[in-house]
Amino acid sequence: MLGVSAATLAGYLAAIVVLMVTPGPDMMFVLANAARYGTRAGVVAALGVAAGEAVHVAAVVCGLAALVSASPVLFTAIRWAGAAYLIVLGVRALRGAGGPVDAVTEQGGRASRAFLRGLVTNLLNPKMILFSVAFLPQFVDPAAGDVTAQLVLLGALFVAVQLAVDIALGAGAGRLAGRLADGRWSRRINRICAVAFVALGIRLAAS
């Protein structure tokens, strides 16, 4: 298939499944939205994250990601912007002004906010840039065919697996939230996610 052998695809899929279930900003964002506002919010957030990953994959295919990772100044700027964004989301949530879980209002409107914040959260994660540059090319065999076609295939699978994992997690968290729906549950989820986002932001800034 497009020069990618079945064995290579199997190894690639196994690797990305393991990576996708490792907690990070994207997963926390999806879970936060689903836990507080239900399955729909979690799915919309997952779509935003997947859109961000699609941009990263496109950047790898076009060679832009390698350019960014090779520029210490630009990469550091993205790292600090990502850290600041995560910390701001967390602080706003702690202050009751929204934050990582303020993607959809209590009435279920303005779902586009979940999508946009999921997109920005993913795009401002510099580790995604490094991961894309270092990981995807490992499974490309120049002797097997069109390198660009192989990268597109592998990138599409990457986004599809991430979307499936995030939607599954969002749906599960949304159902659980529905069964435990009360004000105290929502406030606890908001605080936990807010602290997690601040911690992730500080960790990213210090890395």
Side-chain angles (χ1 to χ4, degrees):
M1 181 187 297
L2 294 179
V4 182
S5 68
T8 298
L9 279 178
Y12 175 73
L13 289 172
I16 60 178
V17 167
V18 172
L19 290 167
M20 295 310 175
V21 297
T22 303
D26 296 334
M27 181 184 291
M28 287 299 302
F29 184 80
V30 172
L31 289 175
N33 279 275
R36 189 173 184 187
Y37 294 113
T39 301
R40 178 170 175 257
V43 170
V44 173
L47 289 172
V49 169
E53 289 175 347
V55 173
H56 283 298
V57 170
V60 170
V61 173
C62 296
L64 297 177
L67 215 62
V68 172
S69 63
S71 171
V73 174
L74 184 55
F75 186 80
T76 299
I78 293 175
R79 177 167 63 85
W80 279 100
Y85 181 72
L86 291 174
I87 292 172
V88 167
L89 288 180
V91 170
R92 289 189 64 202
L94 286 173
R95 295 177 60 186
V101 291
D102 186 30
V104 182
T105 63
E106 296 291 345
Q107 292 74 29
R110 303 181 67 182
S112 61
R113 189 177 297 179
F115 181 90
L116 290 175
R117 288 186 175 174
L119 173 66
V120 173
T121 298
N122 186 270
L123 288 178
L124 291 181
N125 184 357
K127 292 184 179 180
M128 277 301 302
I129 299 174
L130 282 181
F131 171 78
S132 301
V133 172
F135 186 74
L136 288 180
Q138 292 184 36
F139 295 88
V140 172
D141 182 4
D146 189 337
V147 171
T148 299
Q150 292 182 58
L151 283 172
V152 169
L153 172 62
L154 295 172
L157 288 173
F158 182 88
V159 174
V161 171
Q162 176 70 73
L163 185 59
V165 170
D166 282 346
I167 286 179
L169 290 173
R175 292 193 187 97
L176 179 62
R179 294 175 182 176
L180 302 175
D182 62 46
R184 288 178 299 176
W185 164 256
S186 295
R187 285 192 294 272
R188 288 194 194 104
I189 289 296
N190 197 54
R191 291 194 193 100
I192 290 171
C193 292
V195 171
F197 269 77
V198 172
L200 286 167
I202 294 173
R203 180 181 175 186
L204 180 59
S207 62

